[in-house]
Amino acid sequence: MTFAGDLNAQCIETLKGQRKADFDVQRSFAFLSYNMAVSGVFGHFYYNRLEMIFPQAIGGLRAVLAKLFVTQGVWVPFGWLPGYLFWTGSVQGRTFEQNVEKLRTDYHALLLGTWSTGGLVCIMMFRFIPIQHQVGFSALGHFVVTSMMSLMLSKERPVPFYKVRDVKCGQPVCDSIPDSANHIVSGPK
């Protein structure tokens, strides 16, 4: 489903004229490999462990909310999303520093996007889907999340002039904090 999600994103980008009609195999492999390794392999163990700790049969709504908190409040922001950004970025050829910058610039938007879709998927899954089908059901959620993340991560944003301090090897080197307010108003030195 993650492969289909990225393919969907690439088709949307092509239709909007944001890219040529070439299929980016490396990009799709980056998304597919992360989700196969983390969600495919780890997912069964993760959902089974959540069910052992917070059994749906006796927990009802409290179990759903506890699983939602652990998944969307702890695992996604501190494990899954940073891992996703670093893994997919590395597979696509970004350096560690570029991945750190991508995490810094895109993290909040991606987290909110993941919560808006993944949160709803988790609520429905933890409430209505039997444990033996939860990994399969979460794959449907991954289609939507991967489409969204692929669209967001593929955009190359220009570096604002007030953050550029130097250029090395043709790439701007960014300051996290500008030198002064005058630096922002007057432009680069």
Side-chain angles (χ1 to χ4, degrees), residues 1-15 18-33 92 143 146-147 150 154:
M1 291 306 273
T2 56
F3 180 83
D6 182 59
L7 181 61
N8 179 53
Q10 289 188 42
C11 289
I12 291 169
E13 290 170 342
T14 301
L15 291 172
Q18 296 172 344
R19 64 179 288 127
K20 296 185 294 184
D22 295 333
F23 178 64
D24 188 343
V25 176
Q26 186 176 19
R27 177 175 139 181
S28 290
F29 178 74
F31 290 106
L32 175 66
S33 64
Q92 292 181 74
F143 171 80
T146 300
S147 294
S150 181
S154 67

CSV table of all heavy atoms in Angstrom, one decimal, residues 1-15 18-33 92 143 146-147 150 154:
chain,number,residue,atom,x,y,z
A,1,MET,N,0.8,-1.2,0.0
A,1,MET,CA,0.0,0.0,0.0
A,1,MET,C,0.9,1.3,0.0
A,1,MET,O,0.4,2.3,-0.5
A,1,MET,CB,-0.9,0.0,1.2
A,1,MET,CG,-2.0,-1.1,1.1
A,1,MET,SD,-3.0,-1.0,-0.4
A,1,MET,CE,-4.2,0.2,0.1
A,2,THR,N,2.0,1.2,0.6
A,2,THR,CA,2.9,2.4,0.6
A,2,THR,C,3.4,2.7,-0.8
A,2,THR,O,3.6,3.8,-1.2
A,2,THR,CB,4.1,2.2,1.6
A,2,THR,OG1,4.8,1.1,1.3
A,2,THR,CG2,3.6,2.2,3.0
A,3,PHE,N,3.7,1.6,-1.5
A,3,PHE,CA,4.2,1.8,-2.9
A,3,PHE,C,3.1,2.5,-3.7
A,3,PHE,O,3.3,3.4,-4.4
A,3,PHE,CB,4.5,0.4,-3.5
A,3,PHE,CG,5.0,0.5,-4.9
A,3,PHE,CD1,6.3,0.8,-5.2
A,3,PHE,CD2,4.1,0.2,-6.0
A,3,PHE,CE1,6.7,0.9,-6.5
A,3,PHE,CE2,4.5,0.3,-7.3
A,3,PHE,CZ,5.8,0.6,-7.6
A,4,ALA,N,1.8,2.0,-3.5
A,4,ALA,CA,0.7,2.6,-4.2
A,4,ALA,C,0.5,4.0,-3.8
A,4,ALA,O,0.1,4.9,-4.6
A,4,ALA,CB,-0.6,1.8,-4.0
A,5,GLY,N,0.7,4.3,-2.5
A,5,GLY,CA,0.6,5.7,-2.0
A,5,GLY,C,1.6,6.6,-2.6
A,5,GLY,O,1.2,7.7,-3.0
A,6,ASP,N,2.8,6.2,-2.7
A,6,ASP,CA,3.8,7.0,-3.4
A,6,ASP,C,3.5,7.2,-4.9
A,6,ASP,O,3.7,8.2,-5.5
A,6,ASP,CB,5.2,6.5,-3.2
A,6,ASP,CG,6.3,7.4,-3.8
A,6,ASP,OD1,6.3,8.6,-3.5
A,6,ASP,OD2,7.0,7.0,-4.7
A,7,LEU,N,3.1,6.1,-5.5
A,7,LEU,CA,2.7,6.1,-6.9
A,7,LEU,C,1.6,7.1,-7.1
A,7,LEU,O,1.6,7.9,-8.1
A,7,LEU,CB,2.4,4.7,-7.4
A,7,LEU,CG,2.0,4.6,-8.9
A,7,LEU,CD1,3.1,5.1,-9.8
A,7,LEU,CD2,1.5,3.2,-9.2
A,8,ASN,N,0.6,7.1,-6.2
A,8,ASN,CA,-0.5,8.0,-6.3
A,8,ASN,C,0.0,9.5,-6.2
A,8,ASN,O,-0.4,10.4,-6.9
A,8,ASN,CB,-1.4,7.7,-5.1
A,8,ASN,CG,-2.6,8.7,-5.0
A,8,ASN,OD1,-3.3,8.9,-6.0
A,8,ASN,ND2,-2.8,9.3,-3.9
A,9,ALA,N,1.0,9.7,-5.2
A,9,ALA,CA,1.5,11.1,-5.1
A,9,ALA,C,2.3,11.5,-6.3
A,9,ALA,O,2.2,12.7,-6.7
A,9,ALA,CB,2.5,11.1,-3.8
A,10,GLN,N,3.0,10.6,-6.9
A,10,GLN,CA,3.8,10.9,-8.1
A,10,GLN,C,2.8,11.3,-9.3
A,10,GLN,O,3.1,12.2,-10.1
A,10,GLN,CB,4.7,9.8,-8.5
A,10,GLN,CG,5.9,9.7,-7.6
A,10,GLN,CD,7.0,8.7,-8.1
A,10,GLN,OE1,7.3,8.7,-9.2
A,10,GLN,NE2,7.5,7.9,-7.1
A,11,CYS,N,1.7,10.5,-9.4
A,11,CYS,CA,0.7,10.8,-10.4
A,11,CYS,C,0.1,12.2,-10.2
A,11,CYS,O,-0.1,13.0,-11.1
A,11,CYS,CB,-0.4,9.7,-10.4
A,11,CYS,SG,0.2,8.2,-11.0
A,12,ILE,N,-0.2,12.5,-8.9
A,12,ILE,CA,-0.8,13.8,-8.6
A,12,ILE,C,0.2,14.9,-9.0
A,12,ILE,O,-0.2,15.9,-9.6
A,12,ILE,CB,-1.2,13.9,-7.1
A,12,ILE,CG1,-2.3,13.0,-6.8
A,12,ILE,CG2,-1.5,15.4,-6.7
A,12,ILE,CD1,-2.6,12.8,-5.3
A,13,GLU,N,1.5,14.8,-8.6
A,13,GLU,CA,2.5,15.7,-9.0
A,13,GLU,C,2.6,15.9,-10.5
A,13,GLU,O,2.8,17.0,-11.0
A,13,GLU,CB,3.9,15.3,-8.4
A,13,GLU,CG,3.9,15.4,-6.9
A,13,GLU,CD,5.2,14.8,-6.4
A,13,GLU,OE1,5.9,14.0,-7.1
A,13,GLU,OE2,5.6,15.1,-5.2
A,14,THR,N,2.5,14.8,-11.3
A,14,THR,CA,2.6,14.9,-12.7
A,14,THR,C,1.4,15.6,-13.3
A,14,THR,O,1.5,16.5,-14.1
A,14,THR,CB,2.7,13.4,-13.3
A,14,THR,OG1,3.8,12.8,-12.8
A,14,THR,CG2,2.7,13.5,-14.8
A,15,LEU,N,0.2,15.3,-12.8
A,15,LEU,CA,-1.0,16.0,-13.2
A,15,LEU,C,-1.0,17.5,-12.9
A,15,LEU,O,-1.5,18.3,-13.7
A,15,LEU,CB,-2.3,15.3,-12.6
A,15,LEU,CG,-2.6,13.9,-13.1
A,15,LEU,CD1,-3.7,13.3,-12.3
A,15,LEU,CD2,-2.9,13.9,-14.6
A,18,GLN,N,4.0,19.4,-11.6
A,18,GLN,CA,5.2,19.6,-10.7
A,18,GLN,C,6.3,18.7,-11.0
A,18,GLN,O,7.4,18.9,-10.4
A,18,GLN,CB,4.7,19.4,-9.2
A,18,GLN,CG,3.7,20.4,-8.8
A,18,GLN,CD,3.1,20.0,-7.4
A,18,GLN,OE1,3.3,18.9,-6.9
A,18,GLN,NE2,2.5,21.0,-6.8
A,19,ARG,N,6.2,17.8,-11.9
A,19,ARG,CA,7.2,16.9,-12.2
A,19,ARG,C,7.0,16.3,-13.6
A,19,ARG,O,5.8,16.3,-14.1
A,19,ARG,CB,7.4,15.7,-11.2
A,19,ARG,CG,6.2,14.8,-11.1
A,19,ARG,CD,6.3,13.7,-10.1
A,19,ARG,NE,7.2,12.7,-10.6
A,19,ARG,CZ,8.3,12.2,-9.9
A,19,ARG,NH1,8.5,12.7,-8.7
A,19,ARG,NH2,9.0,11.3,-10.4
A,20,LYS,N,8.0,15.7,-14.2
A,20,LYS,CA,7.9,15.0,-15.5
A,20,LYS,C,7.2,13.7,-15.2
A,20,LYS,O,7.1,13.2,-14.1
A,20,LYS,CB,9.2,14.8,-16.1
A,20,LYS,CG,10.0,16.0,-16.5
A,20,LYS,CD,11.3,15.6,-17.2
A,20,LYS,CE,12.2,14.9,-16.3
A,20,LYS,NZ,13.5,14.6,-16.8
A,21,ALA,N,6.6,13.1,-16.3
A,21,ALA,CA,5.9,11.9,-16.1
A,21,ALA,C,6.9,10.7,-16.0
A,21,ALA,O,6.7,9.6,-16.6
A,21,ALA,CB,4.9,11.7,-17.3
A,22,ASP,N,8.0,10.8,-15.3
A,22,ASP,CA,8.9,9.7,-15.0
A,22,ASP,C,8.6,9.2,-13.7
A,22,ASP,O,8.5,9.9,-12.7
A,22,ASP,CB,10.3,10.2,-15.1
A,22,ASP,CG,10.7,10.7,-16.5
A,22,ASP,OD1,10.2,10.2,-17.5
A,22,ASP,OD2,11.6,11.6,-16.6
A,23,PHE,N,8.6,7.8,-13.6
A,23,PHE,CA,8.4,7.2,-12.3
A,23,PHE,C,9.7,7.2,-11.5
A,23,PHE,O,10.8,6.7,-12.0
A,23,PHE,CB,7.9,5.8,-12.5
A,23,PHE,CG,7.7,5.0,-11.3
A,23,PHE,CD1,6.7,5.4,-10.3
A,23,PHE,CD2,8.4,3.9,-11.0
A,23,PHE,CE1,6.5,4.7,-9.2
A,23,PHE,CE2,8.2,3.2,-9.8
A,23,PHE,CZ,7.3,3.6,-8.9
A,24,ASP,N,9.7,7.7,-10.3
A,24,ASP,CA,10.9,7.7,-9.5
A,24,ASP,C,11.0,6.5,-8.6
A,24,ASP,O,10.4,6.4,-7.5
A,24,ASP,CB,10.9,9.0,-8.6
A,24,ASP,CG,12.2,9.2,-7.8
A,24,ASP,OD1,13.0,8.3,-7.7
A,24,ASP,OD2,12.4,10.3,-7.3
A,25,VAL,N,11.7,5.5,-9.1
A,25,VAL,CA,11.8,4.2,-8.5
A,25,VAL,C,12.5,4.3,-7.1
A,25,VAL,O,12.1,3.7,-6.1
A,25,VAL,CB,12.5,3.2,-9.4
A,25,VAL,CG1,12.7,1.8,-8.7
A,25,VAL,CG2,11.8,3.0,-10.7
A,26,GLN,N,13.5,5.1,-7.0
A,26,GLN,CA,14.3,5.2,-5.8
A,26,GLN,C,13.4,5.8,-4.7
A,26,GLN,O,13.4,5.3,-3.5
A,26,GLN,CB,15.5,6.1,-6.0
A,26,GLN,CG,16.4,6.2,-4.8
A,26,GLN,CD,17.7,7.0,-5.1
A,26,GLN,OE1,17.7,7.8,-6.0
A,26,GLN,NE2,18.7,6.8,-4.2
A,27,ARG,N,12.6,6.8,-5.0
A,27,ARG,CA,11.7,7.4,-4.0
A,27,ARG,C,10.7,6.4,-3.6
A,27,ARG,O,10.4,6.2,-2.4
A,27,ARG,CB,11.0,8.6,-4.7
A,27,ARG,CG,10.0,9.3,-3.8
A,27,ARG,CD,9.5,10.5,-4.6
A,27,ARG,NE,8.0,10.6,-4.4
A,27,ARG,CZ,7.3,11.6,-4.9
A,27,ARG,NH1,7.9,12.5,-5.7
A,27,ARG,NH2,6.0,11.7,-4.7
A,28,SER,N,10.1,5.6,-4.5
A,28,SER,CA,9.1,4.6,-4.1
A,28,SER,C,9.7,3.5,-3.3
A,28,SER,O,9.1,3.1,-2.3
A,28,SER,CB,8.4,4.0,-5.3
A,28,SER,OG,7.6,5.0,-5.9
A,29,PHE,N,10.9,3.1,-3.6
A,29,PHE,CA,11.6,2.1,-2.8
A,29,PHE,C,11.9,2.6,-1.4
A,29,PHE,O,11.8,1.8,-0.5
A,29,PHE,CB,12.9,1.7,-3.5
A,29,PHE,CG,13.7,0.7,-2.7
A,29,PHE,CD1,13.2,-0.6,-2.6
A,29,PHE,CD2,14.8,1.0,-2.0
A,29,PHE,CE1,13.9,-1.6,-1.9
A,29,PHE,CE2,15.5,0.1,-1.2
A,29,PHE,CZ,15.0,-1.2,-1.1
A,30,ALA,N,12.2,3.9,-1.3
A,30,ALA,CA,12.5,4.5,0.0
A,30,ALA,C,11.2,4.3,0.9
A,30,ALA,O,11.3,3.9,2.1
A,30,ALA,CB,12.9,5.9,-0.1
A,31,PHE,N,10.1,4.7,0.4
A,31,PHE,CA,8.8,4.6,1.2
A,31,PHE,C,8.5,3.1,1.5
A,31,PHE,O,8.1,2.8,2.6
A,31,PHE,CB,7.7,5.3,0.5
A,31,PHE,CG,7.9,6.8,0.5
A,31,PHE,CD1,8.2,7.5,-0.6
A,31,PHE,CD2,7.7,7.6,1.7
A,31,PHE,CE1,8.4,8.9,-0.6
A,31,PHE,CE2,7.9,8.9,1.7
A,31,PHE,CZ,8.2,9.6,0.5
A,32,LEU,N,8.6,2.3,0.4
A,32,LEU,CA,8.2,0.9,0.5
A,32,LEU,C,9.1,0.2,1.5
A,32,LEU,O,8.6,-0.6,2.4
A,32,LEU,CB,8.3,0.2,-0.8
A,32,LEU,CG,8.0,-1.3,-0.9
A,32,LEU,CD1,6.6,-1.6,-0.5
A,32,LEU,CD2,8.3,-1.8,-2.3
A,33,SER,N,10.4,0.4,1.4
A,33,SER,CA,11.3,-0.3,2.3
A,33,SER,C,11.1,0.0,3.8
A,33,SER,O,11.2,-0.9,4.6
A,33,SER,CB,12.8,-0.1,1.9
A,33,SER,OG,13.1,1.3,2.0
A,92,GLN,N,17.1,7.9,-0.5
A,92,GLN,CA,17.0,8.8,-1.7
A,92,GLN,C,18.3,9.6,-1.9
A,92,GLN,O,18.4,10.4,-2.8
A,92,GLN,CB,15.8,9.8,-1.5
A,92,GLN,CG,14.5,9.1,-1.6
A,92,GLN,CD,13.4,10.0,-1.4
A,92,GLN,OE1,13.1,10.8,-2.3
A,92,GLN,NE2,12.7,10.0,-0.3
A,143,PHE,N,-1.6,3.9,3.0
A,143,PHE,CA,-1.7,4.4,1.7
A,143,PHE,C,-2.0,5.9,1.7
A,143,PHE,O,-1.4,6.7,1.0
A,143,PHE,CB,-2.9,3.7,1.0
A,143,PHE,CG,-3.3,4.4,-0.4
A,143,PHE,CD1,-2.5,4.1,-1.5
A,143,PHE,CD2,-4.4,5.2,-0.5
A,143,PHE,CE1,-2.9,4.7,-2.7
A,143,PHE,CE2,-4.7,5.8,-1.7
A,143,PHE,CZ,-3.9,5.5,-2.8
A,146,THR,N,1.1,7.8,3.3
A,146,THR,CA,2.3,7.8,2.4
A,146,THR,C,2.0,8.8,1.2
A,146,THR,O,2.9,9.5,0.8
A,146,THR,CB,2.6,6.4,1.8
A,146,THR,OG1,2.9,5.5,2.9
A,146,THR,CG2,3.7,6.4,0.9
A,147,SER,N,0.8,8.8,0.7
A,147,SER,CA,0.5,9.8,-0.3
A,147,SER,C,0.8,11.2,0.2
A,147,SER,O,1.4,12.0,-0.5
A,147,SER,CB,-1.0,9.6,-0.8
A,147,SER,OG,-1.2,8.4,-1.4
A,150,SER,N,4.6,11.7,0.9
A,150,SER,CA,5.4,11.7,-0.3
A,150,SER,C,5.2,13.0,-1.0
A,150,SER,O,6.2,13.6,-1.5
A,150,SER,CB,4.9,10.6,-1.2
A,150,SER,OG,5.6,10.5,-2.4
A,154,SER,N,8.6,15.5,-1.1
A,154,SER,CA,9.2,15.7,-2.4
A,154,SER,C,9.3,17.1,-2.8
A,154,SER,O,10.1,17.4,-3.7
A,154,SER,CB,8.3,14.9,-3.5
A,154,SER,OG,7.1,15.5,-3.6
